[in-house]
Every structure is written in C-alpha cells, then in structure tokens.
C-alpha cells in the first residue's frame, strides 16, 4: 500500500489529531441537536448539511492527520493531493454544513468584536489574492523546505492557509443573501480569477526540469521532515529505507510534475463545476426577470390564463 505497511497504526493514523476532530464533531452535533432548540429558535438542520460537514471533517483528517498526510511527506504527488483536499474541497463542505442561524450568530459576534477590523480580508479580490499568494509563496522551494523542517511554523502556516481558504470560498458558498459580495457575472469573474492566480505556482512545478524540493529528494532533509508525522527519533528511517525514493512509485522529477498536474486538474474540475452552477443560476434568474418584465408590460388580454393566478 505505497509503503504504509512499514509504519504502525499510530504513525499512519494520528490519534491526537483524530481526537481533536472527534471533539469538533461532537460539538457540531451538540450545536445542531440539543442546542439548536435554544440557539436556532427551533430551526432543524437537514441531513444533507450534516453529511456535508461530516464529509468535510473526514477529508480534512485524511489529508492532515491520516495516511494521505504521511504519504505527503514521502511523495510530492500526495502532498499536493493533501493540499487540494485541505483547501479546495474540505472548506466549502464544512461551510455548507453549518446552519444559517449559526452563520448569522457568528457574523453578529464578529461585528461586535475587534476582529471586525479584519472584515476586508473576506472581500473577493483580497481573499483570492491572499489565499493564492500564500499558497504560491509556500511552494517556493526554499520556503517549502523551511516550513517542512520547522514544525511550529508548519502548523501555523497550514492553519493560516486553511483560514484564508475559507475567506476565498466565502464569496462562492456564502449562504446568506444579506451578506453576499458577488452575484452572477461578478461571481463567474471571481472564479476565473482564482483559476488564473494558482496557475503560475502549478506551472513552476510542472515545467521544472529537475526536482525542486529537498524534502523529497535529499534523504537527510526527508528524515528530519518525517519527524512531523512520526514522533521520536526518525534517523532509523534512513538506515531502513535509504530515503523517500524507497516509497516513490515515480522518479522525483516526474512525481513532482504529477503533483503539479494533479493540483491544477483538481482545481480546474472544482472551479469549472462551480462556474457551471453559477452560470446556470444566473441564466435562470435572468430569464425569470425577463419573463416578469414581459408579464408586466403585456396587455391583460394577451396573458395566458395561468399567468393571472
């Protein structure tokens, strides 16, 4: 199984991270269950929303605390899969899983707190540039290797990426009509902007003629980076496996290209789907408004009998 059989259960499945995720899930079901009667004024939360939230949590755990996280420290292609799951797929699922009354309570709380001064961060252009800029900056080789070797910075940077990905997704999945920043053509333009902003980073990775990241081609650096997933002394990995190439199903340069292609492909699929949905909604709204104008301007005698009811 891509080398996972060489590691024990605790190394493949981060139990501390799992405990944190289970606590968050318990809090969520408490919020949408018993507490919804008090906080949500009796508004029930649909099964669909609950499924979306649980799915988002599962994907986030697999990417950041499960086998994909471990594989992402051995193969660059899995690293990029982890990035896509963590910042392009899980955030919108989690956001859509939160009930509307909870979102309104969160926004009201933030509006009264000092954090209201940071409201500009969710503005469409700012959010798109911030997330994609931080993502691209992280994948500059020297920055990437530094973050991978400094575990405190690693955790903080990944948390910042997750938060800014939420800012970026807010414009697209915001369920509150009173807080909508963009609609129709503006939202489609925003989707195109995000697709374009991530292209340079992916292009650098895909078209590089040699491996860029020491984490995936230098055994000494790799052993140090593995300390993020495996507690204790990791030097035994060097004598046992020799380096990350032991686990790689592809040469480092090709694995790197596959990772860049995978990230861009998943982004294109996700945003193309969003674009199609937004266009469909915009088209329906435009046609509905056009029909309403025709009804208003047409003489009563020319209206179909069904239009009068």
């Amino acid at each position: 199984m891509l080398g996972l059989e060489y590691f024990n259960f605790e190394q493949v499945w981060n139990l501390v991270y799992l405990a944190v995720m289970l606590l968050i899930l318990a809090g969520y079901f408490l919020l949408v269950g018993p507490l919804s009667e008090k906080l949500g004024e009796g508004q029930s939360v649909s099964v669909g929303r609950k499924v979306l939230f649980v799915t988002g949590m599962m994907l986030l755990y697999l990417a950041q605390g499960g086998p994909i996280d471990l594989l992402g420290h051995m193969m660059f292609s899995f690293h990029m899969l982890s990035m896509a799951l963590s910042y392009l797929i899980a955030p919108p699922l989690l956001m859509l899983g939160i009930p509307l009354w909870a979102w309104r309570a969160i926004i009201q709380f933030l509006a009264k707190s000092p954090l209201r001064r940071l409201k500009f961060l969710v503005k469409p252009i700012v959010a798109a540039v911030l997330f994609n800029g931080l993502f691209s900056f992280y994948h500059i080789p020297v920055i990437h290797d530094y973050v991978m070797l400094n575990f405190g910075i690693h955790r903080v940077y990944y948390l910042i990426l997750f938060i800014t990905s939420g800012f970026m997704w807010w414009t697209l999945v915001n369920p509150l009509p009173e807080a909508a920043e963009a609609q129709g053509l503006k939202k489609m333009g925003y989707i195109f902007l995000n697709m374009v902003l991530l292209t340079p980073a992916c292009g650098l990775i895909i078209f590089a003629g040699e491996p860029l990241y020491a984490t995936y081609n230098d055994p000494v650096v790799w052993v140090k980076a593995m300390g993020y997933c495996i507690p204790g002394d990791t030097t035994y990995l060097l004598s046992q496996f020799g380096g990350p190439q032991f686990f790689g199903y592809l040469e480092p340069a090709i694995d790197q290209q596959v990772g860049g292609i995978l990230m861009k492909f998943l982004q294109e699929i996700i945003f193309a789907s969003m674009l199609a949905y937004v266009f469909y909604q915009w088209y329906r709204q435009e046609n509905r408004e056009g029909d309403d104008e025709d009804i208003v301007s047409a003489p009563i005698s020319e209206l179909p009998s069904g239009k009068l009811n």
Side-chain angles (χ1 to χ4, degrees):
M1 293 179 60
L2 299 173
L4 292 178
E5 65 272 17
Y6 295 105
F7 300 91
N8 61 42
F9 183 85
E10 290 79 8
Q11 292 169 340
V12 177
W13 302 92
N14 188 317
L15 297 183
V16 174
Y17 200 86
L18 176 61
V20 172
M21 290 299 199
L22 291 176
L23 284 174
I24 294 174
L25 277 175
Y28 172 78
F29 280 104
L30 182 64
L31 179 69
V32 301
L35 292 181
S36 65
E37 292 293 328
K38 179 180 180 181
L39 302 178
E41 299 179 356
Q43 299 180 38
S44 62
V45 179
S46 67
V47 174
R49 284 194 183 276
K50 296 176 183 177
V51 170
L52 288 174
F53 192 88
V54 172
T55 302
M57 292 295 290
M58 289 175 59
L59 293 177
L60 190 60
Y61 172 69
L62 289 174
Q64 295 294 332
I68 295 177
D69 179 46
L70 179 59
L71 290 170
H73 279 73
M74 298 186 290
M75 290 170 274
F76 186 79
S77 52
F78 276 92
H79 163 75
M80 292 305 262
L81 176 60
S82 174
M83 293 282 105
L85 291 174
S86 300
Y87 308 122
L88 296 183
I89 300 177
L93 294 178
L94 295 173
M95 294 168 72
L96 290 171
I98 297 175
L100 300 187
W101 56 263
W103 275 123
R104 290 191 172 97
I106 292 171
I107 291 175
Q108 289 175 3
F109 170 78
L110 293 176
K112 298 176 182 178
S113 73
L115 292 175
R116 66 182 182 276
R117 299 175 183 175
L118 301 178
K119 183 180 178 181
F120 70 94
L121 293 177
V122 297
K123 296 293 183 181
I125 302 298
V126 175
V129 172
L130 183 61
F131 169 72
N132 289 285
L134 287 172
F135 183 90
S136 300
F137 180 74
Y138 171 63
H139 285 94
I140 296 172
V142 64
I143 302 298
H144 175 274
D145 290 332
Y146 179 80
V147 171
M148 293 290 279
L149 293 176
N150 293 270
F151 303 147
I153 295 175
H154 185 287
R155 293 182 178 92
V156 171
Y157 203 101
Y158 273 41
L159 177 61
I160 292 173
L161 274 177
F162 183 75
I163 293 173
T164 55
S165 72
F167 293 162
M168 182 269 293
W169 274 107
W170 178 252
T171 297
L172 296 175
V173 302
N174 171 16
L176 304 177
E178 68 270 20
E181 290 284 347
Q183 295 292 339
L185 291 176
K186 290 183 178 180
K187 188 174 285 190
M188 286 186 273
Y190 179 74
I191 293 173
F192 275 116
L193 176 63
N194 278 283
M195 295 170 74
V196 169
L197 287 175
L198 199 62
T199 300
C202 292
L204 170 68
I205 294 168
I206 294 170
F207 296 108
E210 59 184 8
L212 298 174
Y213 305 103
T215 306
Y216 300 100
N217 61 73
D218 186 329
V220 176
V221 176
W222 169 71
V223 165
K224 293 179 181 178
M226 286 294 287
Y228 185 82
C229 301
I230 300 176
D233 186 10
T234 58
T235 54
Y236 78 93
L237 296 172
L238 199 57
S239 59
Q240 186 172 351
F241 304 115
Q245 289 78 13
F246 178 88
F247 305 96
Y249 56 95
L250 298 170
E251 292 294 324
I254 298 177
D255 177 49
Q256 181 176 284
Q257 291 176 329
V258 170
I261 293 171
L262 180 64
M263 183 67 185
K264 189 59 182 171
F265 176 77
L266 289 175
Q267 190 219 25
E268 294 287 340
I269 292 295
I270 293 166
F271 281 111
S273 301
M274 288 292 301
L275 185 64
Y277 176 77
V278 171
F279 177 80
Y280 174 72
Q281 293 294 324
W282 172 75
Y283 179 78
R284 285 186 59 189
Q285 183 178 358
E286 289 294 312
N287 281 352
R288 188 184 305 115
E289 291 177 355
D291 291 342
D292 292 342
E293 291 176 0
D294 290 343
I295 292 172
V296 171
S297 61
I300 295 179
S301 60
E302 295 181 7
L303 289 175
S305 57
K307 301 283 188 180
L308 295 174
N309 298 328

